[in-house]
Amino acid sequence: MGSDRPARRVLVERITNETKVQVALSLDGGPLDLLPQRAHLPSSVPDQSSEHHASQNSASQQVWIWTGVGFLDHMLHALAKHAGWSLRIRTVGDLTIDDHHTTEDTFLGLGVAFSKALGDRKGLRRFGDAHAPLDEALARAVIDISSRPFFVGEFGFKDAKIGSLTTQMIPHGLQSFSQTAGVTLHIDVLKGDNDHHRAEAAFKALAVAVKRATEREVGREGEVISTKGVL
């Protein structure tokens, strides 16, 4: 990223009676500060310096995700990895009830962070699409950074849960993301026998589509990519 371009990096906190969500996001990867410590964190939440199922550090990316829902962490990790993001998420939710509020509010917080990191949305490619396979599964994702929130998804899950994540929360979570991110998002799983594979292919396709849509177009700096003149 050129030195004349502002860093697309934000910290968002969403605190309710049901969940406590912290999201740090850099759309262009690179180093990312640790999430601030809060008094509400229970001892069951690991330290950010620890490695676990949804963490990695490399020269280009830093990812650390903990929501208390393992498969949700896995999908968010895949999204960050293939979108080229650095991403830290820590959610403490009311999992004694179910996974609904935790999943929904995590995606709402991520959408807010995504929108804030984009800034004025000028000079972006705006549209992105991608296909991604995972063994027998194949998914397609199409995104428009339009400031017109809309989501349509067809996943074809066979079972009620993948791990501890309720499968109906995957489309609901992505719908929540589209609302606060201000994007139009279509995701279709075109084939696949295994629900894990279907979900992971969908998130990988989304990641690649997002990466393409958020690229800055050389020579169109400062332009609003819309006939309306505003996004």
Side-chain angles (χ1 to χ4, degrees):
M1 185 172 66
S3 59
D4 58 330
R5 294 176 171 177
R8 300 191 293 180
R9 186 183 300 118
V10 295
L11 170 66
V12 167
E13 296 186 282
R14 177 184 170 86
I15 310 299
T16 73
N17 290 334
E18 297 166 342
T19 62
K20 313 293 186 290
V21 181
Q22 296 172 296
V23 180
L25 171 64
S26 171
L27 294 178
D28 303 301
L32 198 60
D33 290 340
L34 297 179
L35 298 168
Q37 291 297 115
R38 300 300 186 209
H40 61 250
L41 293 176
S43 59
S44 59
V45 178
D47 186 85
Q48 291 178 75
S49 62
S50 65
E51 293 186 2
H52 65 287
H53 59 272
S55 65
Q56 73 172 79
N57 276 292
S58 68
S60 63
Q61 287 179 282
Q62 295 181 355
V63 180
W64 189 95
I65 298 164
W66 182 271
T67 66
V69 182
F71 192 73
L72 176 58
D73 297 347
H74 183 42
M75 293 300 95
L76 293 170
H77 187 186
L79 174 60
K81 177 63 179 176
H82 297 288
W85 297 348
S86 286
L87 178 66
R88 293 182 182 275
I89 295 179
R90 181 167 52 200
T91 300
V92 178
D94 53 0
L95 292 175
T96 54
I97 297 174
D98 63 11
D99 59 340
H100 187 104
H101 298 142
T102 295
T103 304
E104 179 180 59
D105 288 4
T106 297
F107 277 106
L108 288 170
L110 179 59
V112 171
F114 180 83
S115 183
K116 288 186 174 182
L118 285 176
D120 61 15
R121 305 189 177 206
K122 292 179 179 179
L124 300 178
R125 179 169 289 180
R126 178 177 165 179
F127 299 98
D129 65 276
H131 288 76
L134 180 55
D135 295 344
E136 87 296 345
L138 177 66
R140 175 183 62 215
V142 184
I143 190 170
D144 176 9
I145 302 175
S146 59
S147 298
R148 295 169 62 92
F150 205 90
F151 173 72
V152 180
E154 293 290 340
F155 295 85
F157 295 127
K158 299 176 182 178
D159 295 323
K161 287 197 169 188
I162 308 174
S164 59
L165 179 63
T166 307
T167 50
Q168 66 177 220
M169 288 309 301
I170 292 176
H172 183 68
L174 291 166
Q175 189 273 338
S176 299
F177 170 79
S178 70
Q179 288 295 315
T180 53
V183 300
T184 301
L185 179 60
H186 290 251
I187 299 178
D188 298 281
V189 179
L190 304 175
K191 61 180 71 175
D193 299 321
N194 182 280
D195 280 352
H196 185 131
H197 292 176
R198 293 178 76 91
E200 190 165 344
F203 275 89
K204 287 177 176 176
L206 172 60
V208 178
V210 166
K211 184 176 178 65
R212 291 173 178 169
T214 56
E215 288 175 351
R216 292 155 158 150
E217 292 204 294
V218 176
R220 303 190 77 178
E221 295 85 354
E223 283 189 40
V224 177
I225 312 302
S226 171
T227 56
K228 294 180 177 67
V230 64
L231 282 176

